[in-house]
Amino acid sequence: MKGKVLSIICALGILTVSCSDFLDSKSQDEVIPKTTKDFRELLLGSGYPNPTNEHPVAITSYMDDDLDCDVNNSSAGADYTKSIFAVYTWQPDAERYESTVVSPELASTPYYAMFERIKGCNAVLDYVDEAVGSQQEKDQIKAEALAVRALFYFWLVNLYGEPYTENPQSLGVPLKLSSSVEEVSIARSTVEKVYEQILADLNKSAALLGEDSRVTTDYRINRPTVEILLSRVYLYMGNWQKAVEAATEAIRIGGELTNLTAIEKADANFVCTQYSSQEVTWMYGGSVSTFKIESGLNMSTELRTAYGENDRRMDLYYSYDASRGEYYNNKPSSTNDAPKSAIRMSEAYLNRAEAYVLWENKTTEALADLNKLRRNRITGYQDVAISDPDLLLKEIRLERRLELTLEGHRWLDLRRYGMPSIKHTWLPGVGMALQTYVLKEKDPMYTLPLPESVIGANPALTQNASAYEPERKAE
């Protein structure tokens, strides 16, 4: 085992990861994982999302309808703004905007970076049973590796495969489930097959974690988080009953919602994606993005005006620049080496509420979840009564947008909502005419092209149709 694991470690490049003491050892024997503690460190350093990198779906924050051009910003036409033009306007060569979010090298594309992390999870799963340690410790490590691998595959298939509810037989991504180094290229599995693997991993993870797994504050995944992820996956598949069951289990064993209305406005230390918020079940990885004032882009007017006057999310989720009269995102932790993204109990309530409506029009149950969330967000909120399922679904999805902004959900939600047409305005430079770019309904660019560098490295891959779209022009 030692030789195999050592070669895997070297291939992963984890000998330079500073978070693991054992990886800093000088002798060859000392860099070989032997104990369950070693494997926990291996998983943290090479499997879990990297906290110093941007979120795997950061690219999508420039593509959804929560962002738009700040026409009063003097940064319009600046180098940063120009560098995200291709993504912001849904160009077929969008992957080349990697000069800001990722670099043009193969190893820096979101696709490749996520598969590198999957490789780390696979290495742990392949060899942890041979480690020195208790079976309980081994099961815990396997459970974490399975859940993290499932999450990476969820992100991958929702970036590069068509939405499950649109075409489950379309091509998703390759399924690589072992750490073995093979010369044979691997073709893409269908979206349906990828989802089946995601569910298999999450359900096995939940079983291994067991009833005693509760929320921790050590950046390790846990059973409440796995149940939230299961509810998310079932929601994306249109399996409403299973989504309700998983969300209900998450709520049963997870934390309570944070009552934002009880937090002082002067509390500058509150961050909704940190463990200091009782509803956070897991902190992980880097931030998705922020509304960067210096970018010439900002929160869309549609999103900003959707928050009510007494909605505490406006002063607790965002910061305000009085000089420009603009809000910008303030969710990520200020600690550079700490995870900045999170999974929160609010998602469980939103997943369940939406699934209730779509599963036999259970409006009473759905409305209870919606009202509970709003009571914890809006000062002086009075419960509403909505009996129309269509109207209630619209309100739940609006609440989801307001609650989970810039946490990696909106673009993926738009895809599963049927891929509606959206518009972005673009200001090429100060004093120049404003332009409008359109992503039409069910546009091929709702499924991103595979990076050309990845296609070149794996000839078995088939490119998505979006790669062959013509250059998108302003209207």
Side-chain angles (χ1 to χ4, degrees):
M1 179 187 81
K2 289 184 179 180
K4 289 182 179 180
V5 178
L6 180 59
S7 67
I8 293 167
I9 292 173
C10 292
L12 292 172
I14 63 173
L15 294 177
T16 59
V17 176
S18 61
C19 65
S20 171
D21 292 336
F22 82 90
L23 294 176
D24 291 332
S25 302
K26 291 184 174 61
S27 75
Q28 190 179 64
D29 284 341
E30 289 175 326
V31 300
I32 300 173
K34 301 174 182 177
T35 68
T36 50
K37 180 179 183 296
D38 293 342
F39 275 95
R40 279 177 63 83
E41 293 297 323
L42 174 59
L43 181 60
L44 180 64
S46 296
Y48 273 94
N50 190 332
T52 62
N53 293 344
E54 284 197 279
H55 194 286
V57 299
I59 186 175
T60 66
S61 65
Y62 296 102
M63 302 176 72
D64 63 33
D65 55 352
D66 286 343
L67 191 73
D68 207 352
C69 184
D70 179 3
V71 296
N72 298 316
N73 197 319
S74 60
S75 297
D79 288 343
Y80 180 84
T81 312
K82 291 177 180 177
S83 71
I84 60 177
F85 170 83
V87 173
Y88 180 71
T89 58
W90 310 291
Q91 301 296 339
D93 63 347
E95 51 131 344
R96 295 180 183 173
Y97 112 111
E98 294 151 350
S99 59
T100 2
V101 171
V102 290
S103 61
E105 291 81 12
L106 170 65
S108 296
T109 64
Y111 181 101
Y112 188 88
M114 281 192 275
F115 269 109
E116 282 297 284
R117 292 280 153 173
I118 288 171
K119 187 192 297 183
C121 294
N122 288 340
V124 169
L125 290 168
D126 283 350
Y127 298 106
V128 70
D129 279 330
E130 301 176 46
V132 176
S134 69
Q135 189 60 48
Q136 182 179 5
E137 291 170 333
K138 294 175 185 179
D139 287 347
Q140 174 71 29
I141 294 166
K142 285 191 284 187
E144 292 177 23
L146 286 164
V148 172
R149 183 173 73 178
L151 183 54
F152 278 122
Y153 269 119
F154 174 81
W155 285 327
L156 280 164
V157 78
N158 277 282
L159 288 180
Y160 302 106
E162 293 182 36
Y164 183 95
T165 50
E166 290 286 328
N167 187 6
Q169 298 307 315
S170 63
L171 292 179
V173 293
L175 282 173
K176 183 72 169 70
L177 304 177
S178 74
S179 59
S180 61
V181 179
E182 301 168 347
E183 295 296 329
V184 180
S185 298
I186 303 176
R188 299 167 68 181
S189 295
T190 64
V191 168
E192 183 177 51
K193 289 293 184 184
V194 177
Y195 267 85
E196 287 175 357
Q197 185 61 49
I198 292 168
L199 288 178
D201 281 356
L202 289 175
N203 279 308
K204 186 174 181 180
S205 174
L208 288 169
L209 288 168
E211 287 292 325
D212 293 333
S213 179
R214 293 292 188 270
V215 173
T216 58
T217 57
D218 58 0
Y219 309 113
R220 301 283 183 171
I221 207 162
N222 46 63
R223 179 133 178 267
T225 301
V226 171
E227 294 295 342
I228 292 174
L229 291 176
L230 277 167
S231 72
R232 183 192 300 183
V233 174
Y234 284 126
L235 190 69
Y236 277 56
M237 296 176 71
N239 190 332
W240 317 125
Q241 182 175 352
K242 287 287 189 180
V244 166
E245 291 172 355
T248 299
E249 183 66 4
I251 291 168
R252 184 183 73 83
I253 60 178
E256 283 294 319
L257 292 173
T258 298
N259 184 5
L260 302 187
T261 69
I263 299 175
E264 294 292 333
K265 287 191 176 184
D267 186 357
N269 296 319
F270 176 81
V271 179
C272 70
T273 52
Q274 289 184 334
Y275 283 127
S276 55
S277 173
Q278 66 178 1
E279 68 186 48
V280 169
T281 64
W282 179 44
M283 286 180 64
Y284 68 91
S287 62
V288 177
S289 186
T290 60
F291 293 126
K292 297 183 176 76
I293 291 177
E294 69 275 12
S295 72
L297 304 173
N298 212 299
M299 185 189 301
S300 68
T301 301
E302 181 184 67
L303 174 62
R304 185 177 66 250
T305 55
Y307 289 100
E309 182 179 351
N310 296 319
D311 197 320
R312 293 302 311 283
R313 287 172 290 205
M314 285 303 287
D315 61 276
L316 291 172
Y317 288 8
Y318 306 100
S319 293
Y320 183 71
D321 185 333
S323 65
R324 289 189 174 97
E326 296 288 356
Y327 288 91
Y328 60 96
N329 184 261
N330 197 36
K331 287 182 181 179
S333 163
S334 59
T335 306
N336 290 333
D337 59 352
K340 299 172 180 65
S341 293
I343 290 179
R344 303 186 286 128
M345 288 304 302
S346 56
E347 184 190 346
Y349 282 94
L350 289 163
N351 290 350
R352 188 170 71 173
E354 183 174 343
Y356 267 140
V357 174
L358 294 166
W359 175 37
E360 300 178 349
N361 291 333
K362 293 180 178 289
T363 56
T364 301
E365 294 89 341
L367 190 60
D369 283 341
L370 176 64
N371 280 326
K372 180 171 183 176
L373 179 62
R374 286 179 170 175
R375 285 196 301 272
N376 284 277
R377 299 296 185 259
I378 303 169
T379 301
Y381 178 76
Q382 299 294 318
D383 287 0
V384 296
I386 305 173
S387 58
D388 184 310
D390 292 335
L391 178 58
L392 181 55
L393 180 63
K394 182 178 179 180
E395 287 295 308
I396 291 167
R397 288 179 170 175
L398 171 62
E399 203 63 32
R400 183 182 186 87
R401 182 182 186 184
L402 300 178
E403 177 65 20
L404 302 176
T405 306
L406 292 180
E407 293 186 38
H409 293 270
R410 182 60 180 172
W411 176 257
L412 308 189
D413 282 338
L414 289 172
R415 282 166 39 92
R416 69 185 181 86
Y417 294 161
M419 299 178 283
S421 177
I422 59 177
K423 295 182 179 181
H424 278 169
T425 54
W426 176 257
L427 188 62
V430 177
M432 300 181 70
L434 197 65
Q435 299 174 344
T436 300
Y437 287 82
V438 177
L439 184 73
K440 63 181 182 293
E441 183 179 0
K442 299 192 184 301
D443 197 294
M445 274 302 293
Y446 265 112
T447 302
L448 300 184
L450 296 178
E452 287 299 328
S453 54
V454 173
I455 294 286
N458 182 359
L461 295 178
T462 302
Q463 181 59 281
N464 287 324
S466 53
Y468 308 109
E469 285 285 292
E471 179 185 356
R472 202 174 298 265
K473 302 289 187 180
E475 290 191 348

